[in-house]
Amino acid sequence: GNSVTQMEGPVTLSEEAFLTINCTYTATGYPSLFWYVQYPGEGLQLLLKATKADDKGSNKGFEATYRKETTSFHLEKGSVQVSDSAVYFCALTGANSKLTFGKGITLSVRP
Amino acid sequence: DTAVSQTPKYLVTQMGNDKSIKCEQNLGHDTMYWYKQDSKKFLKIMFSYNNKELIINETVPNRFSPKSPDKAHLNLHINSLELGDSAVYFCASSIGTASLQETQYFGPGTRLLVL
């Protein structure tokens, strides 16, 4: 079945540091890949997505590229802010648009 | 305007009780979902409905029964609540299920605590 593996957390960074959160996946067919973000006490929001190989999703300074050869969708941001502190989930869609999530990783950004 | 709304936001109840969580979306979507997020933040799909028809039914105890009176609403009824049911339950919706590219839009969550 489909699965998503995220790097272990939590991650703590200083403001303006570079961020990479690793995500790899196992899937049949050609899934779409997503990053969702959950701010404290809130629901999930779509951060970005990519629907086919070599696509790059981007939003709010975050980027991720759909790499079929390495089955990866790593999230990056050049300069994080305190307001980026949240839980980040990598996910993919399978049959019937079923979303399979990674375990999530908590990011804390210090001023 | 809230796109996907859930009530209640918090629910504290005793073991053995029966409770319901309601979800409504005003996006005109055909498909709705229920997810469970455990204490370690792990998210897992429970059910999905497309235009009131059950599409996905994961290995969820039959104490959980979803009901979709119309395509804008998907409620979750839980019988005989157990301690392990304590979690955050998220409702979501999407345009449909035909494309793997569909984005799902999530509600704010219902935090259920069973004592």
Side-chain angles (χ1 to χ4, degrees):
Chain A
N2 294 342
S3 67
V4 176
T5 303
Q6 290 184 233
M7 59 185 273
E8 293 288 328
V11 172
T12 301
L13 296 173
S14 297
E15 206 165 23
E16 299 183 3
F18 183 83
L19 170 71
T20 300
I21 301 177
N22 289 343
C23 171
T24 57
Y25 68 89
T26 302
T28 54
Y30 302 95
S32 291
L33 301 174
F34 302 81
W35 277 100
Y36 278 86
V37 58
Q38 184 177 24
Y39 297 104
E42 297 185 13
L44 280 78
Q45 302 174 24
L46 177 69
L47 181 58
L48 52 85
K49 72 179 186 182
T51 58
K52 61 182 187 296
D54 299 325
D55 265 4
K56 179 188 282 188
S58 59
N59 186 26
K60 299 181 181 180
F62 291 88
E63 291 182 342
T65 301
Y66 189 162
R67 301 276 187 211
K68 192 166 170 58
E69 64 276 13
T70 54
T71 61
S72 65
F73 193 53
H74 304 322
L75 183 68
E76 295 183 337
K77 186 174 185 182
S79 176
V80 293
Q81 305 301 310
V82 173
S83 57
D84 294 327
S85 298
V87 182
Y88 292 81
F89 294 91
C90 185
L92 62 81
T93 46
N96 293 318
S97 294
K98 174 183 168 182
L99 263 177
T100 298
F101 286 92
K103 290 188 175 181
I105 186 169
T106 299
L107 170 66
S108 298
V109 180
R110 298 182 300 232
Chain B
D1 285 344
T2 304
V4 182
S5 59
Q6 296 179 226
T7 53
K9 190 169 183 179
Y10 299 96
L11 185 53
V12 181
T13 188
Q14 299 288 329
M15 244 183 353
N17 284 350
D18 303 338
K19 291 292 179 187
S20 291
I21 307 171
K22 296 186 176 181
C23 178
E24 176 181 3
Q25 54 93 4
N26 63 7
L27 297 168
H29 289 168
D30 282 346
T31 308
M32 297 183 73
Y33 310 80
W34 277 111
Y35 289 86
K36 179 179 180 180
Q37 185 177 44
D38 64 21
S39 59
K40 295 184 179 178
K41 302 268 187 208
F42 186 61
L43 274 156
K44 193 168 175 6
I45 191 166
M46 300 172 71
F47 304 101
S48 77
Y49 271 72
N50 185 61
N51 208 2
K52 302 193 296 176
E53 181 184 346
L54 181 66
I55 301 296
I56 294 174
N57 185 354
E58 292 292 285
T59 50
V60 176
N62 57 16
R63 298 182 294 104
F64 290 79
S65 52
K67 285 187 172 52
S68 182
D70 55 62
K71 71 176 191 177
H73 296 84
L74 180 62
N75 304 323
L76 183 65
H77 189 76
I78 315 171
N79 288 330
S80 304
L81 277 154
E82 300 178 358
L83 295 177
D85 298 331
S86 297
V88 183
Y89 293 85
F90 287 102
C91 178
S93 74
S94 66
I95 292 174
T97 60
S99 167
L100 295 182
Q101 302 175 16
E102 300 290 357
T103 296
Q104 293 184 23
Y105 296 84
F106 283 76
T110 294
R111 285 146 185 83
L112 171 65
L113 177 60
V114 182
L115 302 174

